[in-house]
């Protein structure tokens, strides 16, 4: 069950390497050790879920991988190169919709494409249409952001993140604010897209079942200081059904471990 | 349609009440002229060209002063929102001067520029620029940081970030800031025209002033009505299209905000 250092997809080269990353924040009153010497290797094409109680540094780790935040010490390698800042190869999808209200759905998907000088205008349009279709929103391409439901917004955000063809997709609790039915639908969609595109996905969540449903591996983190406690391999074949009984075993193991991290944190 | 009818009815009622008050004879017609006299004055001034001419003089000053105020204020507001030093210096200067009623600039303008167009412009710019700076600064600060983060990951930086993300994201605040700047420009110009007599052109404020000197109340009231109408028209022509655009895009009612 436990495999802290080896890749579950044996043979695939490492896509992302997090090496001894630490990060602290000094807020007005306290000093927070958000991440303490965190190391993690993620293989090309892997779907990794980061899970842990709120405040254990999941978002911080994702931001550091994205290059949006600089670590105090340690480093992140993407394709063997040190991450110095954000890059098109690692696109982020946030929990709240970060769609731009001054653009319609199509314009939002085009935003990242327009920053790729290697594409012609016609190619950009084709790609944007393709990804809107992929998330099932081709009919809503001219809709304004506020006219879309929460689930539709996250679909557009997914299309926007996928369109520039990043190799790594970083998702920070992207479905947390959605209702259960919409979420179930999106679990199917994201797995289908991942299977077809074989992108490397790092997916942050605090929902155990969600993590077991999606990930090749589930990385459990604990708070204060933010550390990786355990890494679980999920051997079930994709696509997985969130409501399937097959998920029950792994879910209860990880849920118990998660409870453990909470107790530990309460002790300290 | 129904709302227009209600509004029309209301104004008809007001004018009727006004006419009745005049007819009651309780006030001297010198102090309270009949709405018919006022209408006659406006019509006459329209026909002999004085009204159009002074409206043109006033609007020209207003547009030049306002444009200058916005052109100076917008970039300054964006700068103060991003740079701590500028916020502490220019930002606090703007905060201070914004509380100063623009008519207070008139004595200074007269001493510095004399009775010239320059004095007029100075007062209008001083009335406009501070509120534009503050509104822009406020707007740029209130952009959700997540927009900038999302844009950064997609490779937007520098000029692209400013023109494609920060500026459009702060549009709702910019429009309300420019609208506020407009209101201040209009008020300060009227103050300037009433207090500063200059020979290079008589604006609406001057007509108002001379109306009082000549005890021609129908002129005073007539010009006041014209000033109100111009203010409303500009609001409709200049700002309503923007507000409708924002309303459509953001799904918020900017007017109510
Ligand atoms: N910009 C920041 N300034 C100060 N403290 C921060 C900042 N970002 C995160 N933190 C703190 O770091 C810790 C980890 O935060 P975060 O990575 O958001 O956790 P998670 O996403 O797992 O809930 C929390 O205690 C949080 O309060
Ligand atoms: Mg988080």
């Amino acid at each position: 069950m436990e495999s802290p250092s080896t890749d579950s997809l044996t043979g695939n080269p490492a896509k992302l390497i997090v090496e001894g990353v630490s990060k602290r924040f000094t807020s007005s009153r306290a000093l927070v050790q958000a991440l303490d010497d965190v190391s993690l290797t993620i293989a090309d094409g892997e779907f990794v879920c980061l899970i842990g109680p709120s405040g254990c540094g999941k978002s911080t780790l994702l931001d550091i991988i994205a290059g949006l935040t600089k670590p105090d010490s340690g480093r992140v390698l993407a394709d063997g190169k040190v991450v110095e800042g954000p890059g098109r190869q690692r696109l982020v999808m946030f929990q709240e919709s970060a769609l731009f209200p001054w653009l319609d759905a199509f314009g939002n998907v085009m935003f990242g494409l327009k920053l790729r000088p290697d594409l012609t205008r016609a190619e950009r349009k084709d790609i944007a249409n393709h990804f809107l279709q992929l998330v099932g929103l081709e009919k809503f391409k001219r809709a304004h952001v506020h006219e879309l439901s929460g689930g539709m917004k996250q679909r557009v955000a997914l299309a926007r993140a996928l369109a520039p063809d990043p190799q790594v997709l970083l998702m920070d609790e992207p479905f947390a604010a959605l209702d259960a039915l919409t979420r179930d639908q999106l679990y199917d969609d994201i797995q289908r897209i991942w299977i077809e595109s074989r992108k490397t996905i790092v997916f942050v969540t605090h929902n155990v079942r969600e993590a077991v449903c999606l990930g090749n591996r589930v990385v459990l983190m604990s708070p204060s200081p933010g550390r990786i406690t355990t890494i679980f391999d999920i051997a079930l074949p994709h696509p997985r059904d969130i409501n399937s009984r097959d998920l029950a075993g792994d879910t209860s193991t990880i849920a118990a471990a998660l409870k453990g991290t909470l107790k530990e944190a309460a002790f300290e | 349609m129904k709302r227009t009818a209600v509004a029309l009815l209301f104004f008809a009622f007001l004018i009727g009440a006004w006419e009745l008050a005049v007819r009651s004879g309780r006030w001297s017609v010198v102090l309270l002229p009949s709405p018919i006299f006022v209408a006659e004055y406006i019509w006459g001034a329209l026909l002999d060209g004085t009204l159009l001419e002074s409206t043109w003089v006033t609007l020209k000053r207003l547009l030049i002063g306002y444009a200058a105020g916005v052109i100076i204020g917008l970039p300054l507001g964006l700068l103060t929102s991003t740079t701590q030093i500028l916020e502490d210096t220019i930002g606090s200067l703007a905060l201070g001067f914004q509380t100063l009623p623009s008519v207070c600039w008139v004595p200074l303008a007269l001493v510095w520029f004399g009775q010239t167009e320059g004095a007029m412009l100075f007062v209008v710019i001083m009335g406009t620029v501070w509120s534009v700076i503050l509104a822009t600064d406020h707007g740029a600060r209130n952009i959700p940081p997540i927009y900038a983060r999302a844009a950064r990951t997609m490779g937007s930086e520098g000029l692209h970030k400013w023109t494609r993300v920060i500026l459009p994201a702060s549009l709702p605040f910019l429009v309300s800031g420019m609208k506020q700047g407009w209101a201040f420009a209009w008020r300060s110009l009227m103050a300037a025209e009433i207090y500063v007599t200059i020979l290079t052109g008589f604006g609406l404020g001057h007509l108002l002033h001379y109306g009082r000197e000549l005890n021609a109340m129908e002129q005073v009231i007539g010009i006041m009505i014209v000033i109100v109408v111009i203010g409303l028209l500009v609001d409709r022509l200049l700002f309503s299209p923007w507000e409708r655009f924002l309303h459509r895009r953001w799904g918020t009612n900017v007017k109510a905000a």
Side-chain angles (χ1 to χ4, degrees), chain A residues 72-122:
Chain A
D72 296 335
S73 60
R75 57 182 193 167
V76 174
L77 301 170
D79 288 318
K81 281 199 224 66
V82 179
V83 169
E84 306 274 9
R88 253 198 291 284
Q89 291 312 328
R90 284 162 283 116
L91 286 190
V92 188
M93 189 179 153
F94 301 94
Q95 170 177 358
E96 37 183 322
S97 154
L99 295 180
F100 301 141
W102 57 94
L103 300 172
D104 58 17
F106 184 75
N108 268 284
V109 179
M110 285 290 279
F111 188 91
L113 291 171
K114 285 190 179 156
L115 286 158
R116 282 194 46 185
D118 53 316
L119 297 174
T120 66
R121 272 176 81 158

Short mmCIF file of all heavy atoms in Angstrom, two decimals, chain A residues 72-122:
data_model
loop_
_atom_site.label_atom_id
_atom_site.label_comp_id
_atom_site.label_asym_id
_atom_site.label_seq_id
_atom_site.Cartn_x
_atom_site.Cartn_y
_atom_site.Cartn_z
N ASP A 72 11.03 28.83 0.25
CA ASP A 72 12.14 29.39 1.02
C ASP A 72 13.39 28.56 0.79
O ASP A 72 14.49 29.10 0.68
CB ASP A 72 11.81 29.39 2.52
CG ASP A 72 10.63 30.31 2.82
OD1 ASP A 72 10.41 31.24 2.03
OD2 ASP A 72 9.95 30.07 3.82
N SER A 73 13.20 27.25 0.76
CA SER A 73 14.34 26.40 0.43
C SER A 73 13.81 25.21 -0.36
O SER A 73 12.62 24.94 -0.38
CB SER A 73 15.06 25.94 1.70
OG SER A 73 14.16 25.21 2.51
N GLY A 74 14.71 24.48 -0.99
CA GLY A 74 14.30 23.38 -1.85
C GLY A 74 13.93 23.90 -3.22
O GLY A 74 14.00 25.11 -3.49
N ARG A 75 13.58 22.97 -4.12
CA ARG A 75 13.26 23.40 -5.48
C ARG A 75 12.31 22.42 -6.14
O ARG A 75 12.10 21.31 -5.65
CB ARG A 75 14.53 23.52 -6.31
CG ARG A 75 15.31 22.23 -6.33
CD ARG A 75 16.60 22.38 -7.11
NE ARG A 75 17.18 21.06 -7.37
CZ ARG A 75 18.17 20.84 -8.23
NH1 ARG A 75 18.68 21.85 -8.91
NH2 ARG A 75 18.63 19.63 -8.41
N VAL A 76 11.74 22.87 -7.24
CA VAL A 76 10.85 22.02 -8.02
C VAL A 76 11.46 21.88 -9.41
O VAL A 76 11.88 22.88 -10.01
CB VAL A 76 9.44 22.62 -8.13
CG1 VAL A 76 8.58 21.79 -9.07
CG2 VAL A 76 8.78 22.70 -6.76
N LEU A 77 11.55 20.65 -9.89
CA LEU A 77 12.02 20.43 -11.26
C LEU A 77 10.85 19.98 -12.11
O LEU A 77 10.09 19.10 -11.72
CB LEU A 77 13.10 19.34 -11.28
CG LEU A 77 14.35 19.59 -10.44
CD1 LEU A 77 15.20 18.32 -10.38
CD2 LEU A 77 15.15 20.74 -11.03
N ALA A 78 10.70 20.62 -13.25
CA ALA A 78 9.71 20.16 -14.22
C ALA A 78 10.48 19.76 -15.46
O ALA A 78 11.22 20.58 -16.02
CB ALA A 78 8.72 21.28 -14.54
N ASP A 79 10.35 18.52 -15.89
CA ASP A 79 11.14 18.00 -17.00
C ASP A 79 12.62 18.23 -16.76
O ASP A 79 13.37 18.58 -17.69
CB ASP A 79 10.73 18.66 -18.32
CG ASP A 79 9.37 18.18 -18.78
OD1 ASP A 79 9.12 16.96 -18.67
OD2 ASP A 79 8.56 19.02 -19.21
N GLY A 80 13.04 18.11 -15.51
CA GLY A 80 14.45 18.24 -15.20
C GLY A 80 14.94 19.67 -15.07
O GLY A 80 16.09 19.90 -14.71
N LYS A 81 14.06 20.66 -15.36
CA LYS A 81 14.50 22.06 -15.26
C LYS A 81 13.90 22.71 -14.03
O LYS A 81 12.72 22.49 -13.70
CB LYS A 81 14.05 22.83 -16.51
CG LYS A 81 14.95 22.58 -17.71
CD LYS A 81 14.74 23.70 -18.71
CE LYS A 81 14.62 23.25 -20.13
NZ LYS A 81 13.51 22.47 -20.58
N VAL A 82 14.70 23.54 -13.35
CA VAL A 82 14.22 24.19 -12.13
C VAL A 82 13.12 25.19 -12.48
O VAL A 82 13.25 25.98 -13.41
CB VAL A 82 15.39 24.92 -11.43
CG1 VAL A 82 14.88 25.62 -10.18
CG2 VAL A 82 16.48 23.93 -11.07
N VAL A 83 12.03 25.11 -11.73
CA VAL A 83 10.92 26.05 -11.94
C VAL A 83 11.27 27.40 -11.32
O VAL A 83 11.51 27.49 -10.12
CB VAL A 83 9.64 25.48 -11.30
CG1 VAL A 83 8.54 26.53 -11.27
CG2 VAL A 83 9.18 24.24 -12.05
N GLU A 84 11.30 28.45 -12.15
CA GLU A 84 11.64 29.78 -11.64
C GLU A 84 10.42 30.69 -11.58
O GLU A 84 10.40 31.68 -10.87
CB GLU A 84 12.68 30.45 -12.57
CG GLU A 84 13.94 29.63 -12.81
CD GLU A 84 14.98 29.85 -11.73
OE1 GLU A 84 14.65 30.50 -10.73
OE2 GLU A 84 16.13 29.35 -11.89
N GLY A 85 9.41 30.34 -12.35
CA GLY A 85 8.21 31.17 -12.39
C GLY A 85 7.13 30.40 -13.11
O GLY A 85 7.34 29.25 -13.50
N PRO A 86 5.96 31.03 -13.27
CA PRO A 86 4.87 30.31 -13.95
C PRO A 86 5.25 30.01 -15.40
O PRO A 86 6.03 30.75 -16.01
CB PRO A 86 3.70 31.29 -13.90
CG PRO A 86 4.13 32.46 -13.13
CD PRO A 86 5.59 32.38 -12.89
N GLY A 87 4.74 28.93 -15.92
CA GLY A 87 5.03 28.59 -17.30
C GLY A 87 3.83 27.93 -17.93
O GLY A 87 3.03 27.32 -17.24
N ARG A 88 3.72 28.09 -19.21
CA ARG A 88 2.57 27.56 -19.95
C ARG A 88 2.45 26.05 -19.84
O ARG A 88 1.40 25.49 -20.11
CB ARG A 88 2.72 27.91 -21.42
CG ARG A 88 1.80 28.97 -21.89
CD ARG A 88 1.72 28.95 -23.38
NE ARG A 88 2.96 29.39 -24.02
CZ ARG A 88 3.34 30.65 -24.08
NH1 ARG A 88 2.62 31.58 -23.53
NH2 ARG A 88 4.45 31.00 -24.69
N GLN A 89 3.57 25.38 -19.49
CA GLN A 89 3.51 23.93 -19.42
C GLN A 89 2.77 23.43 -18.19
O GLN A 89 2.43 22.27 -18.08
CB GLN A 89 4.93 23.33 -19.48
CG GLN A 89 5.60 23.50 -20.81
CD GLN A 89 4.70 23.09 -21.95
OE1 GLN A 89 3.88 22.20 -21.83
NE2 GLN A 89 4.84 23.77 -23.07
N ARG A 90 2.58 24.36 -17.23
CA ARG A 90 1.90 23.97 -15.98
C ARG A 90 0.77 24.95 -15.73
O ARG A 90 0.97 26.02 -15.21
CB ARG A 90 2.90 24.01 -14.82
CG ARG A 90 3.86 22.83 -14.81
CD ARG A 90 5.05 23.12 -13.95
NE ARG A 90 5.98 24.02 -14.65
CZ ARG A 90 6.28 25.23 -14.24
NH1 ARG A 90 5.80 25.70 -13.13
NH2 ARG A 90 7.10 25.99 -14.95
N LEU A 91 -0.43 24.60 -16.15
CA LEU A 91 -1.55 25.53 -15.98
C LEU A 91 -2.36 25.15 -14.75
O LEU A 91 -2.46 23.99 -14.38
CB LEU A 91 -2.43 25.54 -17.22
CG LEU A 91 -1.80 26.29 -18.40
CD1 LEU A 91 -2.80 26.48 -19.51
CD2 LEU A 91 -1.24 27.63 -17.96
N VAL A 92 -2.94 26.18 -14.12
CA VAL A 92 -3.63 25.99 -12.86
C VAL A 92 -5.13 26.20 -13.06
O VAL A 92 -5.55 27.09 -13.80
CB VAL A 92 -3.13 27.00 -11.80
CG1 VAL A 92 -3.71 26.66 -10.44
CG2 VAL A 92 -1.62 27.00 -11.75
N MET A 93 -5.91 25.37 -12.38
CA MET A 93 -7.34 25.59 -12.33
C MET A 93 -7.70 25.76 -10.86
O MET A 93 -7.41 24.90 -10.04
CB MET A 93 -8.04 24.38 -12.93
CG MET A 93 -9.50 24.58 -13.13
SD MET A 93 -10.20 23.11 -13.86
CE MET A 93 -11.86 23.28 -13.23
N PHE A 94 -8.32 26.91 -10.54
CA PHE A 94 -8.54 27.25 -9.14
C PHE A 94 -9.91 26.79 -8.66
O PHE A 94 -10.79 26.46 -9.44
CB PHE A 94 -8.41 28.76 -8.95
CG PHE A 94 -7.08 29.31 -9.37
CD1 PHE A 94 -6.87 29.81 -10.64
CD2 PHE A 94 -6.01 29.30 -8.48
CE1 PHE A 94 -5.64 30.31 -11.02
CE2 PHE A 94 -4.78 29.80 -8.86
CZ PHE A 94 -4.59 30.30 -10.13
N GLN A 95 -10.07 26.81 -7.33
CA GLN A 95 -11.33 26.39 -6.74
C GLN A 95 -12.48 27.29 -7.17
O GLN A 95 -13.48 26.85 -7.70
CB GLN A 95 -11.23 26.40 -5.21
CG GLN A 95 -12.57 26.21 -4.54
CD GLN A 95 -12.47 26.15 -3.04
OE1 GLN A 95 -11.40 26.20 -2.47
NE2 GLN A 95 -13.60 26.03 -2.39
N GLU A 96 -12.32 28.60 -6.91
CA GLU A 96 -13.33 29.51 -7.38
C GLU A 96 -13.06 29.77 -8.84
O GLU A 96 -11.93 29.68 -9.30
CB GLU A 96 -13.26 30.81 -6.59
CG GLU A 96 -11.82 31.13 -6.30
CD GLU A 96 -11.63 32.37 -5.47
OE1 GLU A 96 -12.38 33.33 -5.66
OE2 GLU A 96 -10.70 32.37 -4.66
N SER A 97 -14.06 30.06 -9.56
CA SER A 97 -13.86 30.31 -10.96
C SER A 97 -13.02 31.56 -11.13
O SER A 97 -13.35 32.63 -10.63
CB SER A 97 -15.22 30.51 -11.64
OG SER A 97 -15.05 31.31 -12.77
N ALA A 98 -11.89 31.42 -11.79
CA ALA A 98 -11.04 32.57 -12.06
C ALA A 98 -11.28 33.05 -13.48
O ALA A 98 -10.43 33.66 -14.10
CB ALA A 98 -9.58 32.21 -11.86
N LEU A 99 -12.47 32.76 -14.02
CA LEU A 99 -12.80 33.22 -15.36
C LEU A 99 -12.88 34.74 -15.38
O LEU A 99 -13.27 35.36 -14.40
CB LEU A 99 -14.13 32.63 -15.81
CG LEU A 99 -14.18 31.11 -15.97
CD1 LEU A 99 -15.56 30.68 -16.41
CD2 LEU A 99 -13.13 30.66 -16.97
N PHE A 100 -12.53 35.33 -16.52
CA PHE A 100 -12.56 36.77 -16.63
C PHE A 100 -13.95 37.24 -17.04
O PHE A 100 -14.42 36.90 -18.13
CB PHE A 100 -11.53 37.23 -17.67
CG PHE A 100 -10.12 36.81 -17.36
CD1 PHE A 100 -9.27 36.40 -18.37
CD2 PHE A 100 -9.66 36.82 -16.05
CE1 PHE A 100 -7.97 36.01 -18.08
CE2 PHE A 100 -8.36 36.43 -15.75
CZ PHE A 100 -7.51 36.03 -16.77
N PRO A 101 -14.61 38.04 -16.22
CA PRO A 101 -15.98 38.44 -16.53
C PRO A 101 -16.09 39.36 -17.75
O PRO A 101 -17.17 39.50 -18.31
CB PRO A 101 -16.46 39.15 -15.26
CG PRO A 101 -15.23 39.51 -14.52
CD PRO A 101 -14.17 38.53 -14.90
N TRP A 102 -15.00 40.01 -18.14
CA TRP A 102 -15.09 40.91 -19.30
C TRP A 102 -15.01 40.14 -20.63
O TRP A 102 -15.16 40.73 -21.68
CB TRP A 102 -14.02 41.99 -19.25
CG TRP A 102 -12.60 41.48 -19.18
CD1 TRP A 102 -11.76 41.27 -20.23
CD2 TRP A 102 -11.88 41.11 -18.00
NE1 TRP A 102 -10.56 40.79 -19.78
CE2 TRP A 102 -10.59 40.69 -18.42
CE3 TRP A 102 -12.18 41.10 -16.64
CZ2 TRP A 102 -9.63 40.27 -17.52
CZ3 TRP A 102 -11.21 40.68 -15.75
CH2 TRP A 102 -9.95 40.27 -16.19
N LEU A 103 -14.78 38.84 -20.55
CA LEU A 103 -14.75 38.02 -21.77
C LEU A 103 -15.88 37.00 -21.70
O LEU A 103 -16.28 36.59 -20.62
CB LEU A 103 -13.42 37.28 -21.88
CG LEU A 103 -12.16 38.14 -21.96
CD1 LEU A 103 -10.92 37.28 -21.87
CD2 LEU A 103 -12.15 38.97 -23.23
N ASP A 104 -16.39 36.57 -22.85
CA ASP A 104 -17.37 35.49 -22.83
C ASP A 104 -16.63 34.15 -22.73
O ASP A 104 -15.40 34.11 -22.64
CB ASP A 104 -18.30 35.57 -24.06
CG ASP A 104 -17.53 35.52 -25.36
OD1 ASP A 104 -16.37 35.09 -25.35
OD2 ASP A 104 -18.09 35.91 -26.40
N ALA A 105 -17.40 33.05 -22.74
CA ALA A 105 -16.79 31.73 -22.54
C ALA A 105 -15.69 31.50 -23.58
O ALA A 105 -14.57 31.09 -23.25
CB ALA A 105 -17.86 30.65 -22.63
N PHE A 106 -16.01 31.79 -24.83
CA PHE A 106 -15.04 31.59 -25.91
C PHE A 106 -13.79 32.46 -25.70
O PHE A 106 -12.66 31.98 -25.82
CB PHE A 106 -15.71 31.92 -27.24
CG PHE A 106 -14.86 31.66 -28.44
CD1 PHE A 106 -14.64 30.37 -28.88
CD2 PHE A 106 -14.29 32.72 -29.12
CE1 PHE A 106 -13.85 30.13 -30.00
CE2 PHE A 106 -13.50 32.49 -30.24
CZ PHE A 106 -13.29 31.19 -30.68
N GLY A 107 -14.02 33.71 -25.34
CA GLY A 107 -12.91 34.64 -25.12
C GLY A 107 -12.00 34.16 -24.00
O GLY A 107 -10.78 34.30 -24.07
N ASN A 108 -12.59 33.58 -22.96
CA ASN A 108 -11.79 33.05 -21.86
C ASN A 108 -10.90 31.91 -22.33
O ASN A 108 -9.74 31.84 -21.96
CB ASN A 108 -12.70 32.59 -20.73
CG ASN A 108 -12.95 33.67 -19.71
OD1 ASN A 108 -12.09 33.96 -18.89
ND2 ASN A 108 -14.11 34.30 -19.78
N VAL A 109 -11.47 31.01 -23.14
CA VAL A 109 -10.67 29.89 -23.62
C VAL A 109 -9.58 30.39 -24.57
O VAL A 109 -8.48 29.84 -24.62
CB VAL A 109 -11.57 28.84 -24.31
CG1 VAL A 109 -10.74 27.68 -24.83
CG2 VAL A 109 -12.61 28.32 -23.33
N MET A 110 -9.88 31.47 -25.28
CA MET A 110 -8.90 32.03 -26.22
C MET A 110 -7.74 32.74 -25.51
O MET A 110 -6.68 32.94 -26.10
CB MET A 110 -9.59 33.03 -27.17
CG MET A 110 -10.43 32.39 -28.24
SD MET A 110 -9.44 31.54 -29.46
CE MET A 110 -8.92 32.91 -30.49
N PHE A 111 -7.97 33.16 -24.27
CA PHE A 111 -6.98 34.02 -23.60
C PHE A 111 -5.57 33.42 -23.61
O PHE A 111 -4.61 34.07 -24.03
CB PHE A 111 -7.41 34.29 -22.15
CG PHE A 111 -6.55 35.31 -21.45
CD1 PHE A 111 -6.87 36.65 -21.49
CD2 PHE A 111 -5.40 34.93 -20.77
CE1 PHE A 111 -6.08 37.59 -20.85
CE2 PHE A 111 -4.60 35.87 -20.13
CZ PHE A 111 -4.94 37.20 -20.18
N GLY A 112 -5.47 32.16 -23.17
CA GLY A 112 -4.16 31.53 -23.13
C GLY A 112 -3.63 31.22 -24.52
O GLY A 112 -2.43 31.26 -24.77
N LEU A 113 -4.57 30.94 -25.44
CA LEU A 113 -4.16 30.60 -26.81
C LEU A 113 -3.55 31.81 -27.51
O LEU A 113 -2.61 31.68 -28.30
CB LEU A 113 -5.36 30.11 -27.61
CG LEU A 113 -5.91 28.74 -27.17
CD1 LEU A 113 -7.22 28.45 -27.87
CD2 LEU A 113 -4.88 27.67 -27.49
N LYS A 114 -4.09 33.00 -27.20
CA LYS A 114 -3.57 34.20 -27.84
C LYS A 114 -2.15 34.49 -27.40
O LYS A 114 -1.44 35.25 -28.05
CB LYS A 114 -4.46 35.39 -27.51
CG LYS A 114 -5.76 35.38 -28.28
CD LYS A 114 -6.51 36.68 -28.11
CE LYS A 114 -7.79 36.66 -28.89
NZ LYS A 114 -8.78 37.59 -28.34
N LEU A 115 -1.74 33.91 -26.29
CA LEU A 115 -0.37 34.13 -25.82
C LEU A 115 0.59 33.10 -26.41
O LEU A 115 1.73 33.00 -25.98
CB LEU A 115 -0.35 34.08 -24.29
CG LEU A 115 -0.94 35.32 -23.63
CD1 LEU A 115 -1.40 35.04 -22.22
CD2 LEU A 115 0.10 36.44 -23.63
N ARG A 116 0.08 32.32 -27.37
CA ARG A 116 0.98 31.37 -28.03
C ARG A 116 1.24 31.83 -29.45
O ARG A 116 0.42 31.65 -30.34
CB ARG A 116 0.35 29.98 -28.04
CG ARG A 116 0.48 29.30 -26.70
CD ARG A 116 0.15 27.84 -26.79
NE ARG A 116 0.80 27.20 -27.94
CZ ARG A 116 0.59 25.93 -28.27
NH1 ARG A 116 -0.24 25.19 -27.57
NH2 ARG A 116 1.19 25.41 -29.32
N PRO A 117 2.40 32.45 -29.67
CA PRO A 117 2.69 33.03 -30.98
C PRO A 117 2.84 31.98 -32.08
O PRO A 117 2.79 32.32 -33.27
CB PRO A 117 4.02 33.79 -30.75
CG PRO A 117 4.57 33.26 -29.48
CD PRO A 117 3.47 32.66 -28.70
N ASP A 118 3.02 30.73 -31.68
CA ASP A 118 3.25 29.69 -32.69
C ASP A 118 1.97 29.27 -33.40
O ASP A 118 2.01 28.50 -34.36
CB ASP A 118 3.90 28.47 -32.04
CG ASP A 118 3.12 27.98 -30.83
OD1 ASP A 118 2.70 28.84 -30.02
OD2 ASP A 118 2.92 26.77 -30.69
N LEU A 119 0.81 29.78 -32.96
CA LEU A 119 -0.46 29.37 -33.57
C LEU A 119 -0.99 30.47 -34.48
O LEU A 119 -0.79 31.66 -34.23
CB LEU A 119 -1.51 29.09 -32.49
CG LEU A 119 -1.22 27.94 -31.52
CD1 LEU A 119 -2.27 27.91 -30.44
CD2 LEU A 119 -1.18 26.62 -32.28
N THR A 120 -1.68 30.08 -35.54
CA THR A 120 -2.36 31.07 -36.37
C THR A 120 -3.73 31.35 -35.77
O THR A 120 -4.21 30.62 -34.91
CB THR A 120 -2.55 30.57 -37.81
OG1 THR A 120 -3.47 29.47 -37.76
CG2 THR A 120 -1.24 30.12 -38.42
N ARG A 121 -4.35 32.42 -36.26
CA ARG A 121 -5.67 32.77 -35.71
C ARG A 121 -6.68 31.66 -35.92
O ARG A 121 -7.46 31.34 -35.03
CB ARG A 121 -6.18 34.04 -36.41
CG ARG A 121 -5.71 35.28 -35.73
CD ARG A 121 -6.16 36.47 -36.51
NE ARG A 121 -7.55 36.81 -36.23
CZ ARG A 121 -8.04 38.01 -36.44
NH1 ARG A 121 -7.26 38.95 -36.92
NH2 ARG A 121 -9.29 38.27 -36.18
N ALA A 122 -6.65 31.08 -37.09
CA ALA A 122 -7.61 30.02 -37.38
C ALA A 122 -7.38 28.82 -36.48
O ALA A 122 -8.33 28.22 -35.96
CB ALA A 122 -7.48 29.61 -38.84
#
